[in-house]
Amino acid sequence: MKLRLLPPDRSFFDLFEAAGDNLAQCAALLSDLVEDYVDPETKARRLADCEHEGDRLTQALLVRLSSSARPPFDRDDVHALATRLDDVTDALEEAADLLVLHKVTEPIEAVVEQVGLLGQAAAATAAGIRRLRTLDVEALRAYAARIEELEHAGDRLYRRARAQLYAFEVEQPARYVLVWKDIIEQLEEALDAMRRVAQTVDGIVLRNG
């Protein structure tokens, strides 16, 4: 008697797409925070709520993965993608939290620029995740290339921002340097986390395309 395989459970795509959209929403909330720096505590709380929704979606994906449901691709890939999407929302929320904890009165220009790159990467990520459902190889490779481009731009911006902090022409108090170093490093980590998501998606394409 032949064993009949269950068809792939398409609900995984629903959860991944919701996680991608939630990630983009977190990035939009961070953009609003730094571009209109009014009542940052309230805006940071909204971003924390968004991050909690990301946690909920990650947990739903992992619970689904541990069930008898057949995932649409390798279980290790599902786990990696779920946790790496969650890493991005965690990093975005941590950046907002640092702005509040350090009692920042106004973001420096480099931070506004970093957050702008994160917004573009988040939108590209949400759109790319939607292409997994049909495994649109061309669109997914274009997404990975776009993230790589934004990540390189982020690296250049990060190096420039650090150099400006340590520039001797404009001497700043030690606290100023340490605060902004913390924040720009956290934003760089968020962009690196976006790159890890894209690399995971690229691996899925290579194994399934």
Side-chain angles (χ1 to χ4, degrees):
M1 180 178 176
K2 286 186 178 180
L3 291 175
R4 295 182 62 189
L5 288 175
L6 292 171
D9 186 340
R10 311 297 286 180
S11 68
F12 282 95
F13 292 121
D14 298 332
L15 289 167
F16 276 129
E17 288 167 11
D21 290 344
N22 185 69
L23 181 156
Q25 177 62 17
C26 286
L29 289 169
L30 184 59
S31 292
D32 178 58
L33 172 59
V34 301
E35 290 172 8
D36 181 24
Y37 205 73
V38 177
D39 196 4
E41 293 86 358
T42 297
K43 291 182 177 183
R45 282 196 296 271
R46 288 178 192 145
L47 210 159
D49 290 341
C50 196
E51 188 273 331
H52 293 155
E53 174 63 8
D55 288 342
R56 187 192 70 78
L57 290 165
T58 301
Q59 185 62 23
L61 274 161
L62 297 182
V63 167
R64 196 78 183 135
L65 187 61
S66 66
S67 73
S68 59
R70 181 185 167 199
F73 33 81
D74 186 83
R75 287 180 179 274
D76 288 344
D77 286 334
V78 171
H79 187 279
L81 184 55
T83 55
R84 285 171 184 170
L85 285 165
D86 190 52
D87 288 344
V88 176
T89 57
D90 287 348
L92 294 170
E93 190 274 331
E94 286 171 29
D97 199 35
L98 283 173
L99 288 164
V100 173
L101 290 174
H102 284 310
K103 297 181 170 58
V104 166
T105 55
E106 184 180 0
I108 60 174
E109 185 57 35
V111 161
V112 176
E113 290 181 45
Q114 280 184 296
V115 172
L117 288 176
L118 283 167
Q120 294 179 62
T125 298
I129 293 297
R130 290 191 171 278
R131 300 293 190 166
L132 273 176
R133 188 181 289 268
T134 55
L135 205 67
D136 185 334
V137 173
E138 186 176 340
L140 287 166
R141 285 181 177 157
Y143 149 64
R146 176 61 175 153
I147 295 297
E148 191 76 10
E149 176 188 330
L150 289 167
E151 203 268 335
H152 287 324
D155 286 345
R156 291 191 297 272
L157 176 55
Y158 170 70
R159 290 192 295 269
R160 174 164 58 84
R162 279 183 59 111
Q164 287 172 347
L165 284 180
Y166 296 124
F168 291 108
E169 311 90 71
V170 185
E171 191 170 340
Q172 300 286 3
R175 183 183 182 279
Y176 176 95
V177 174
L178 293 172
V179 164
W180 289 113
K181 178 176 176 290
D182 271 358
I183 293 167
I184 64 175
E185 284 181 350
Q186 184 57 43
L187 292 169
E188 172 68 5
E189 169 54 31
L191 198 51
D192 286 344
M194 297 259 201
R195 177 177 51 83
R196 289 191 287 272
V197 170
Q199 289 172 336
T200 303
V201 170
D202 204 36
I204 291 169
V205 172
L206 286 172
R207 285 183 284 280
N208 298 275

